[in-house]
Amino acid sequence: MNREITRQFDVLVVGGGPAGISAALSAAEQGAHVGIVDDNHNLGGQIWRGEATNCTSAASHWINGLSGKGVESLCAARVVDQIGPNTLLAETADHICELSYSKLVLATGARERFLPFPGWTLPNVMGAGALQALVKSGLPVHGKRVVIAGTGPLLLAVASCLRKHGAKIAIICEQASRASLARFGFSLLAYPQKIRQALSLRKDLSGIRFVPDCWPVAAIGDGVLEQLTLARGNDVENISCDYLACGFHLVPNTELPSLLGCRLRDGFVEVDDFQRTSAPDVFCAGEPTGIGGLELSLVEGQIAGLAAAGNVGDAHKLFRSRARLQKFKKKLDHAFTLRPELKKLPQPETIVCRCEDVTYGTLSRYRSWRAAKLRTRSGMGPCQGRVCGPATEFLLGWTPDSVRPPIFPARLQSLGTIPNIEPAQYEAMRGNQ
Amino acid sequence: MSRAAYDVAIVGAGIVGAACANECARHGMRVVLIDQDSAGGGATNAAMGHIVVMDDSEAQFSLTRYSQQLWQELKPQLPDDVEYEQCGTIWVAADEDEMQAVRRKHAYYSRDGVPVEVLDSESLRRLEPNLRNGLAGGLLVPEDGVLYPPCAARFLMERAQASGTTISLGVQVSRMGNGCVRLSDGGEFSAPVIVNAAGAASPMLTPGIEVKKRKGHLVITDRYPGLVRHQLVELGYLKSAHSVISDSVAFNIQPRRTGQVLIGSSRQFGAENNEVDHQILARMVQRASHYMPALAHTSAIRVWTGFRAATPDKLPLIGPWPEDSTLYLATGHEGLGITTSLATARLLVAQITGGTTEIPVEPYLPARTGSMEHLHA
Amino acid sequence: MPEQITLMVNGRSVSVARGATVAVAVTVAGMHCRNSVTGEPRGPLCGMGICFECRVEIDGALHQRSCQILCASGMNVRTNEQGNYKTI
């Protein structure tokens, strides 16, 4: 049967990336009893994946600080539902966990945006961060020819990592215009740390062809990726490759915040100066409040952690840093806006919903996400719309449905967990919706 | 909004309304089908999609049997996305008491020529290897089936449309009566016959209809082909459907053509919001796992709720509303809307045109409701 | 040299470094993870456990996200090479 774990925390942090880690540490330093939960096997999230054991990195400094402060980590644990007013239900491979809290910090991060184009479903076509994650999980790429495409600073970070693992980067195609990138590059002058990062990357990537105003048009291969067709204005180029690492910037993981009743604005979680959401006792830090990069996530995490632990004075001291970094966030948004040509990429027979193999031609007949969902099952598969949702939002202007539990596919027996609360409390629980 | 000339105006484009529109159109009537949402926006889209002969009463048995046969006749014309599968139902008996009920059911169904077969525990295990050990047996009803409701409703609606029916979706109705369907935006449709097929919302349009919302939950899993082969229902399902006051769950699962398993069922009165109720969901899931332990480890990818339209005597309302000579009802189908939609349409149209009906209509007449007062406990 | 562990992928013995995920083992074995509902070959897309394209069968359990699961010695991995789940 189901083996249950029950835990109570002063501050529970969901998400073990930079924002979550900094929130957990900050709260723990105030003496709070803190728990941090993450779906991956180790803390670090996406950007710090595998960094826990790299003792020279800043990441490991943060991560290793946690156990010193008595923070309890629950890794390989997925939050699937809210089971009580201040209790979340999480699943591991063998257990069901009921995690109760006085304060909650949501640091659920972001995921890549995927845009469909002919052949994008071929094996070895994947996200940019995805290929990096796989390489860090042991995928051998030494000597393999890789094309990196899409948009966003992530492309460069991925290129650097892959190169270090011996991959041959054939080209980096960035759909943003040369002018946008120049403006963005220029604006980095205000951020010394970012300049250092940029220069370091430049060194890592020397000799690699970097092409702006360029995007993938078709992936070709017999059962697996063999070559890629790229467009640059009116020019077209074919490049043979073993892997395509392609992602179009990031979208926030707002499913859990939505489930808990946090108000969203323009698709991001609305927070006040102390990173408080509209849901009582719930804070949010990092990418779900706006895609802003590592340093901003760290500061927001600290503010949320301090505020959750009751130290608003020290939280307040970080407001200036945050404000400076939020300006960077705005520049990020502008620089990497998706160009309209990308809307023309999918052909009628291009699959958009990969879980249910629904094509663009089929989907474009419907006027809303919901109508398409019911008739075609698009969005009703296990990814719960995480892949096709952002794509259809860009291509067709659809907004997805409201979020329902489970926010992640869960073992049926987990849904059989009888909650430990009075029925009357349910109404109160959902009352802030 | 234009005042067009229609013979029938139907409010509610769920499976029942769509079936009625289709049937009216088949009889050459000019029809307008109206819904505040898209087609099937109420219980239809949330429904399990079973086609099942049920014997809670003679009248229910007649109606479900008649309609099941109509579905079988329609089957060759159903497009692929309706996913009609004649997988059959097995009523599962947990013990000897329930086996007695199985034998009674067998006699009852056989009397009316419904093919049925009693299964002992050996045969039950052979047909459904993933049910738990120790069950006594069951009753197989091979002509029952399942389909995918949103596409079935759409098929019927499009058929009606092909016969000239006007479809008016996303349109809110504020009042209906006296040959007129008044819309919130001030427009109206008039017709000598107006039909309230608005399911759980029907009492809002026709005050006095004895229909109450009965909330249900469903869970769907990822694809596990072959895990479940027939629709499976516990004999206690009828007790659950029968109860008028308390919350109840019953084991009822079905395979979808995709290989996904659909898990139900739950019933609650008085629950007004469509939020997932964790308590009853947990009970429902535990009940299902009790009958089929293998389900416990399946991946549940979605949970949703829906509202059935329940009447005090468990029978739908099909026919003229005594207080308004223009108004007909086609509502109150509880958990049998998909099953009985086709028969409902036939009975409705026969009453509109004065034609004969295949089965007696008296048990379903709205006029009977005067005698039902005592039944809503 | 990191410790190597051995597991089975579709009956073939595969050796990977400890800490590698099952998705890596499937790739090293020269296979792809699953076929889609219309029979297309698929492999990992997101690398972080949300796209479900990397699903495989591990020790009899279906729908395991291979990019999120570490290889263990003696694991029996099967990919859905036979075809899609169209019929029951």
Side-chain angles (χ1 to χ4, degrees), chain B residues 365-377:
Chain B
L365 291 178
R368 78 187 191 273
T369 59
S371 60
M372 285 201 288
E373 276 156 18
H374 67 286
L375 288 172
H376 269 313

Side-chain angles (χ1 to χ4, degrees), chain A residues 17-280:
Chain A
I21 289 168
S22 65
L25 192 54
S26 304
E29 280 169 348
Q30 299 301 310
H33 176 45
V34 180
I36 182 167
V37 57
D38 192 278
D39 191 15
N40 295 283
H41 279 277
N42 295 301
L43 296 179
Q46 306 316 313
I47 196 170
W48 280 349
R49 185 181 289 270
E51 295 293 315
T53 47
N54 177 3
C55 42
T56 57
S57 76
S60 77
H61 160 74
W62 282 96
I63 296 171
N64 295 325
L66 291 178
S67 49
K69 292 278 180 243
V71 174
E72 192 176 333
S73 303
L74 282 118
C75 289
R78 260 174 328 280
V79 173
V80 297
D81 201 354
Q82 176 186 21
I83 200 86
N86 275 32
T87 308
L88 300 182
L89 195 69
E91 243 185 32
T92 65
D94 314 298
H95 296 83
I96 260 291
C97 313
E98 286 186 36
L99 307 171
S100 304
Y101 55 86
S102 303
K103 304 286 180 206
L104 178 68
V105 178
L106 299 176
T108 48
R111 60 185 186 275
E112 288 187 272
R113 178 190 282 108
F114 299 104
L115 295 182
F117 51 88
W120 76 298
T121 57
L122 282 170
N124 294 352
V125 174
M126 58 184 83
L131 184 56
Q132 176 174 281
L134 280 171
V135 165
K136 287 186 177 183
S137 307
L139 183 74
V141 285
H142 192 90
K144 299 283 189 196
R145 210 167 139 77
V146 180
V147 170
I148 299 177
T151 203
L154 183 58
L155 301 190
L156 299 179
V158 168
S160 167
C161 171
L162 294 180
R163 199 184 213 190
K164 289 191 178 113
H165 281 82
K168 306 235 172 301
I169 313 293
I171 186 174
I172 304 174
C173 317
E174 164 59 71
Q175 60 90 38
S177 68
R178 191 174 289 279
S180 274
L181 292 173
R183 273 194 302 272
F184 179 66
F186 189 72
S187 71
L188 289 184
L189 290 175
Y191 302 90
Q193 192 168 15
K194 299 244 179 257
I195 296 178
R196 277 196 294 279
Q197 285 170 12
L199 289 174
S200 166
L201 270 178
R202 208 181 132 131
K203 187 157 149 283
D204 291 343
L205 301 176
S206 71
I208 294 182
R209 210 176 139 207
F210 177 89
V211 183
D213 289 292
C214 183
W215 58 90
V217 165
I220 296 150
D222 181 16
V224 73
L225 176 68
E226 285 161 13
Q227 60 169 310
L228 184 69
T229 306
L230 300 166
R232 200 170 7 123
N234 291 322
D235 294 331
V236 150
E237 185 181 337
N238 283 319
I239 299 199
S240 71
C241 53
D242 301 306
Y243 287 98
L244 170 60
C246 178
F248 292 89
H249 205 31
L250 300 173
V251 292
N253 292 326
T254 55
E255 292 77 20
L256 182 54
S258 290
L259 184 74
L260 297 173
C262 300
R263 206 163 40 234
L264 304 186
R265 193 186 325 172
D266 298 328
F268 292 98
V269 180
E270 212 177 64
V271 289
D272 69 7
D273 284 341
F274 291 98
Q275 305 292 143
R276 273 188 300 237
T277 70
S278 62

Side-chain angles (χ1 to χ4, degrees), chain B residues 84-155:
Chain B
Y84 182 107
E85 293 289 337
Q86 196 169 300
C87 56
T89 297
I90 298 180
W91 292 87
V92 177
D95 53 35
E96 191 42 48
D97 273 347
E98 293 194 348
M99 275 311 280
Q100 300 240 22
V102 160
R103 289 179 203 112
R104 279 197 300 273
K105 247 173 139 65
H106 180 270
Y108 189 81
Y109 280 48
S110 301
R111 197 197 68 196
D112 263 34
V114 178
V116 275
E117 185 189 328
V118 174
L119 306 171
D120 60 16
S121 68
E122 178 65 37
S123 331
L124 179 64
R125 179 177 333 224
R126 208 176 8 91
L127 289 180
E128 289 286 349
N130 296 303
L131 282 171
R132 72 172 168 83
N133 292 332
L135 293 168
L139 183 77
L140 171 65
V141 187
E143 288 186 353
D144 279 353
V146 300
L147 50 70
Y148 184 57
C151 292
R154 185 190 210 201
F155 164 73

